Amino acid sequence: MVYYRPCVLDEFIGQKRIKDELSVYISSVKKRNDIFPHTFFIGAPGLGKTTLARIIAYELKRDLKITSGPILDKTGTLAAVLTNLKEGNILFIDEIHRMPKPCQEILYTAMEDFALDIVIGKGNTGKTIRLALPKFTLIGATNKPNLCLAPLRDRFQLTFKLNYYKDEELRDIIIKVSKNWGLEIEKDSALKLARASKGIPRQALNLVRRLREFVLLNSGESDKRLLKVSFQEFERFLKLLDIDEWGLTPEDRKCLLTLYKDFNGGPVGLTSLALSADITPEEFEIIYEPALIRLGLIARTKRGRILTQKGYLYLKEKFNIPYKEETQCLFSS
Ligand code: ADP
């Protein structure tokens, strides 16, 4: 399995505003040899939250400890992690919203006062002792910030919301990653893969991984050389994966067809639509829906998801499904 992770901020493509701001903080912390401020990254899985945390640690030459909300399910486990930290360490907690409430509460004093309050004994005889912690940085990541307690959210000095990437940004990531993995891919082909990546670098990397396997299998060459992906080979790859000229995959088409066939074009609730299309509601909401909305094929209304006029036209073009004239007025905006 091949991996790719940018190590420095300059190598990180996209999210310009976040990069610019982080660059200022990194320089200033470096200059003062200070502790990096507690930072909260919000965004869908695969957008680069862990990568940014690694970059901050790398640029500052600080140790990074990586853990996640589901692992820190007991206050004792969290206390052990916190007491093992050293001055300047960066603690990255992925899916921080999945920490139970008592664990989130422990972080209040840990972040603000670098202290850990431990309760010994129960009831009236119980007493609290305070343990000093080394000064550290907490980087929390989540796609569900509302599930974090408000006082925890408030204790992050920096909050960044990562956006889905533009096709051109993903194209550049794809070209860079391909090169890294020994593939030379044309700009146009990279853009086609980018369109099928749903605005998410992890999806883009997965597609490049599959392309690499495909090319290596067909070439019979050792995987050490830089292999050029010809236009014809790339088109065969797209055909194999059934990715169309819109960048839509069979799963995307299934979502649209389900919305049309099972729900008469909507409106329909998230869970019903996702389950009918054999996708988990979370996957639908995070991966498929944002891309279909960006393409203008579906829309979110107060009453649920609907197929747009463009969505109907897409289905007509692909599956010769009759376009419903009576719905036109609904979607003419
Ligand atoms: P998250 O923590 O948000 O789930 P990751 O940081 O694990 O996402 O990123 C997923 C994959 O995508 C990693 O392999 C990472 O190297 C790559 N990646 C993410 N963002 C970028 C980017 N802006 N440029 C290049 N690669 C990226």
Side-chain angles (χ1 to χ4, degrees), residues 235-305:
E235 290 302 311
R236 273 194 288 134
F237 174 73
L238 288 186
K239 209 163 176 188
L240 179 74
L241 266 60
D242 204 1
I243 294 173
D244 67 17
E245 63 286 1
W246 290 63
L248 295 197
T249 59
E251 293 78 21
D252 296 310
R253 287 191 287 275
K254 188 155 187 199
C255 292
L256 295 175
L257 274 173
T258 305
L259 183 51
Y260 174 80
K261 282 187 178 162
D262 296 359
F263 302 101
N264 206 20
V268 59
L270 161 74
T271 311
S272 310
L273 175 57
L275 295 180
S276 296
D278 280 335
I279 292 170
T280 66
E282 188 162 36
E283 253 185 336
F284 179 74
E285 204 174 19
I286 291 171
I287 299 176
Y288 298 101
E289 182 177 59
L292 292 172
I293 289 181
R294 269 199 309 280
L295 285 170
L297 299 173
I298 65 171
R300 264 169 104 150
T301 69
K302 274 188 200 144
R303 288 164 53 221
R305 279 70 180 167

Side-chain angles (χ1 to χ4, degrees), residues 4-6 11-13 44-51 165 173 201-202 205:
Y4 173 81
R5 244 185 226 286
E11 283 175 10
F12 191 91
I13 295 168
L47 288 186
K49 301 180 293 298
T50 313
T51 306
Y165 290 64
I173 292 176
R202 182 175 289 139
L205 263 63

Side-chain angles (χ1 to χ4, degrees), residues 109 116-121 123-131:
T109 51
L116 185 63
D117 288 332
I118 298 177
V119 182
I120 296 173
N124 290 341
T125 55
K127 62 175 184 177
T128 306
I129 56 167
R130 178 163 271 217
L131 274 184

Side-chain angles (χ1 to χ4, degrees), residues 68 78 189 192 211 213 216 235 261 274-275 279 327:
S68 74
L78 175 61
S189 305
K192 285 183 186 167
L211 175 66
E213 289 303 319
L216 285 177
E235 290 302 311
K261 282 187 178 162
L275 295 180
I279 292 170
T327 54

Side-chain angles (χ1 to χ4, degrees), residues 2-6 11-15 19 41 43-55 92 94 141 162 165 169-170 172-174 176-177 181 200-205 209:
V2 277
Y3 295 97
Y4 173 81
R5 244 185 226 286
E11 283 175 10
F12 191 91
I13 295 168
Q15 313 290 348
K19 270 174 60 175
F41 287 127
L47 288 186
K49 301 180 293 298
T50 313
T51 306
L52 284 174
R54 283 178 185 274
I55 287 174
F92 176 73
D94 200 10
L162 280 79
Y165 290 64
E169 293 169 338
L170 286 176
D172 293 348
I173 292 176
I174 287 167
K176 213 165 169 178
V177 173
W181 292 347
I200 303 175
R202 182 175 289 139
Q203 300 277 331
L205 263 63
R209 229 175 244 123

Side-chain angles (χ1 to χ4, degrees), residues 145-332:
N146 296 342
L147 297 186
C148 286
L149 299 172
L152 174 64
R153 287 200 307 259
D154 293 346
R155 279 167 174 80
F156 286 103
Q157 291 126 342
L158 305 176
T159 295
F160 297 108
K161 190 169 181 308
L162 280 79
N163 294 317
Y164 287 89
Y165 290 64
K166 295 192 186 83
D167 288 345
E168 289 69 26
E169 293 169 338
L170 286 176
R171 177 200 59 200
D172 293 348
I173 292 176
I174 287 167
I175 291 174
K176 213 165 169 178
V177 173
S178 301
K179 213 168 179 178
N180 218 274
W181 292 347
L183 285 187
E184 199 182 322
I185 180 171
E186 281 173 29
K187 230 172 164 181
D188 276 357
S189 305
L191 188 61
K192 285 183 186 167
L193 272 198
R195 286 201 195 109
S197 303
K198 322 253 176 293
I200 303 175
R202 182 175 289 139
Q203 300 277 331
L205 263 63
N206 286 342
L207 285 175
V208 179
R209 229 175 244 123
R210 289 167 82 171
L211 175 66
R212 183 175 176 273
E213 289 303 319
F214 179 79
V215 174
L216 285 177
L217 194 74
N218 289 338
S219 77
E221 305 269 358
S222 116
D223 59 352
K224 295 252 160 48
R225 303 177 32 189
L226 193 64
L227 283 174
K228 199 169 162 57
V229 187
S230 70
F231 174 77
Q232 291 81 356
E233 200 170 20
F234 184 75
E235 290 302 311
R236 273 194 288 134
F237 174 73
L238 288 186
K239 209 163 176 188
L240 179 74
L241 266 60
D242 204 1
I243 294 173
D244 67 17
E245 63 286 1
W246 290 63
L248 295 197
T249 59
E251 293 78 21
D252 296 310
R253 287 191 287 275
K254 188 155 187 199
C255 292
L256 295 175
L257 274 173
T258 305
L259 183 51
Y260 174 80
K261 282 187 178 162
D262 296 359
F263 302 101
N264 206 20
V268 59
L270 161 74
T271 311
S272 310
L273 175 57
L275 295 180
S276 296
D278 280 335
I279 292 170
T280 66
E282 188 162 36
E283 253 185 336
F284 179 74
E285 204 174 19
I286 291 171
I287 299 176
Y288 298 101
E289 182 177 59
L292 292 172
I293 289 181
R294 269 199 309 280
L295 285 170
L297 299 173
I298 65 171
R300 264 169 104 150
T301 69
K302 274 188 200 144
R303 288 164 53 221
R305 279 70 180 167
I306 55 166
L307 205 54
T308 60
Q309 186 179 16
K310 205 171 166 189
Y312 276 107
L313 291 174
Y314 173 84
L315 289 179
K316 182 170 167 41
E317 184 190 309
K318 288 280 159 198
F319 303 103
N320 207 16
I321 277 171
Y323 177 60
K324 289 196 301 177
E325 290 300 329
E326 66 273 17
T327 54
Q328 202 162 1
C329 54
L330 253 177
F331 311 124
S332 54

